[in-house]
Amino acid sequence: MSPRVGLFATCLMNLFRPNVGFAAVKLLEDAGCSVEVPLAQTCCGQPGYNAGDFDAARALAKQVIAAFEGFDYVVGPSGSCMATIRHDYPKLFADDADWRPRAEALAARSFELLSFLADVRGVRTVAADYAGTVTYHDSCSGLRELGVKAQPRLLLGSVGGLKLAEMSDTEVCCGFGGSFCVSYPEISGRMADDKLACMAATGADTLLGGDLGCLLHLAGRLKRCGSPVKVFHTAEVLAGMADGAGIGDQQEVQK
């Protein structure tokens, strides 16, 4: 029987890059899962949690917990959102006898997309092609909180025509950091420029990553610098759905 998976549709995916969601559904279905997207889901509450507004974060977390109860797994194409659900929800309800077990149960069956495919479903190859040289940015939350590093590289290695050129300092923050880029724009911009310099040194024509926050941040900087490098979420390439406009490309904006 196919595992029943609830897709966590992140705010950035929903508002800026729905194609990532379609790619995630395709990859999950190809991995033998039955996928649903609960309409009652909301933001995971991470912005409020990180800002110290724990009451607002709890209110949003309760909606998410209730929306995804009954699924075998909850999977999202974002290390930051899924790290919030896995690690922060149990903390939010640590003193709540009613909600703590529900939060812990959700956390235990929640996964970032690429780690779910590789580590839970055992996916090793995908039926996709991409003619280009790509470099990969390791996002902080996915890497440090969820251990997402080998999985995307393993799966990208099976994409026909794709060449992976690793950049130096790939594990260093890109400068997005959610509200960090708003509070410290000069530092954030410098960190992005440092990341783009590492990227340029590889000669890659495409940048990939697993978190849309980082990718939107870097894509915006690339466009302002006049770079032709295309930016995609890794799921789009793995699903064979990276033949259109990249993140931040003009033709996407004009739709």
Side-chain angles (χ1 to χ4, degrees), residues 7-16 20 41-44 76-78 80-82 212:
L7 178 68
F8 184 75
T10 73
C11 298
L12 294 181
M13 183 197 83
N14 186 44
L15 294 172
F16 295 104
V20 174
Q41 65 179 294
T42 63
C43 171
C44 68
S78 165
S80 61
C81 296
M82 302 318 292
L212 272 174

Side-chain angles (χ1 to χ4, degrees), residues 62-138:
K62 285 180 178 180
Q63 287 184 273
V64 172
I65 292 168
F68 284 99
E69 284 180 324
F71 287 95
D72 297 316
Y73 299 101
V74 179
V75 178
S78 165
S80 61
C81 296
M82 302 318 292
T84 296
I85 295 172
R86 283 184 65 90
H87 297 305
D88 297 332
Y89 277 18
K91 297 176 187 175
L92 275 171
F93 298 104
D95 299 321
D96 190 319
D98 293 326
W99 282 93
R100 179 176 178 177
R102 297 172 71 179
E104 290 177 341
L106 178 66
R109 62 179 189 276
S110 296
F111 295 88
E112 184 274 338
L113 174 65
L114 303 184
S115 66
F116 178 77
L117 292 172
D119 300 335
V120 179
R121 298 301 293 167
V123 177
R124 294 294 179 266
T125 61
V126 294
D129 296 289
Y130 187 80
T133 299
V134 310
T135 193
Y136 187 87
H137 166 63
D138 290 293

Side-chain angles (χ1 to χ4, degrees), residues 22 95 105 132 236:
F22 299 131
D95 299 321
E236 296 178 281

